[in-house]
Amino acid sequence: MTSTRAQMVAKAADLIARNGVAGTSIGDVLKAADASRGSVYHHFPGGRSEIIAEAVRFSAGRVDDGLAEAVRSSPTFIVADIAAMWRRVLADTEFAAGSTVAAAATARDTDPAVADVAEQHFVRWEDGLAAGLRSRGFDSERSRSLAVTILAAMEGAVVLCRAHRSFEPLDLVVKEISPLLTSPE
């Protein structure tokens, strides 16, 4: 990625995490990236849809790294590691930014291609978490159920943290879900 392209993608990801897909315009991205209007057509011939999809992939890639690290931990630390990743995002943005991928997933009516990108990443995360849990002795059905529960609880906790401007929802999710991971049943 060229530096202008990379800057535009990163800024678009941040704007989506803060304002949602519908609240992120090309003009906002250009202003945030200090880029010219021509750079959109040069770097993103598909226009707004292309840059939004790239921004979702970029954000998902950063989460991929955190999840991969969490999965290498023991099951009891998976939830704590994911929560720590979200705690950093929330703290760094003073609760202004949430999940770019979750924001994209909710854009099915207006931006179905972007919602498809989000869905693909959620499925990959579910599969990765489930595989990590299976490698720690959980059976396939339980692993999948726990993976979906972890992701749903974390994404919901991030929304609540932003609403309350507090880490308490994240802390409560860790407290309630961690015991589910102590031993395969």
Side-chain angles (χ1 to χ4, degrees):
M1 251 194 263
T2 66
S3 85
T4 300
R5 180 180 169 82
Q7 182 77 354
M8 290 173 69
V9 168
K11 294 299 183 181
D14 182 60
L15 288 166
I16 295 165
R18 292 170 186 270
N19 307 323
V21 171
T24 302
S25 71
I26 288 293
D28 296 332
V29 173
L30 292 172
K31 182 177 177 183
D34 194 28
S36 68
R37 181 144 311 266
S39 60
V40 172
Y41 307 108
H42 175 72
H43 295 293
F44 304 97
R48 181 181 178 279
S49 181
E50 184 178 351
I51 192 169
I52 297 295
E54 282 299 313
V56 173
R57 287 184 192 98
F58 169 77
S59 287
R62 295 188 317 190
V63 174
D64 287 347
D65 296 340
L67 282 177
E69 189 174 315
V71 167
R72 287 191 293 270
S73 300
S74 71
T76 55
F77 290 115
I78 288 174
V79 173
D81 289 349
I82 296 169
M85 175 186 68
W86 279 119
R87 184 180 287 275
R88 285 188 301 274
V89 169
L90 292 163
D92 289 350
T93 64
E94 297 178 356
F95 299 97
S99 171
T100 302
V101 178
T106 64
R108 175 82 47 208
D109 289 343
T110 57
D111 293 276
V114 170
D116 288 345
V117 171
E119 179 185 14
Q120 292 164 5
H121 287 285
F122 276 129
V123 168
R124 187 169 74 225
W125 296 340
E126 291 164 16
D127 291 347
L129 282 171
L133 291 166
R134 280 192 310 277
S135 74
R136 301 294 196 277
F138 289 86
D139 68 46
S140 291
E141 185 177 327
R142 181 86 171 125
S143 296
R144 169 125 174 83
S145 177
L146 284 170
V148 170
T149 299
I150 290 166
L151 287 174
M154 286 296 169
E155 292 289 347
V158 169
V159 170
L160 291 174
C161 287
R162 290 181 72 195
H164 297 300
R165 299 188 59 75
S166 165
F167 294 114
E168 183 182 27
L170 206 49
D171 296 338
L172 292 172
V173 163
V174 171
K175 178 183 171 190
E176 294 298 325
I177 291 181
S178 293
L180 300 174
L181 302 171
T182 57
S183 65
E185 294 180 10

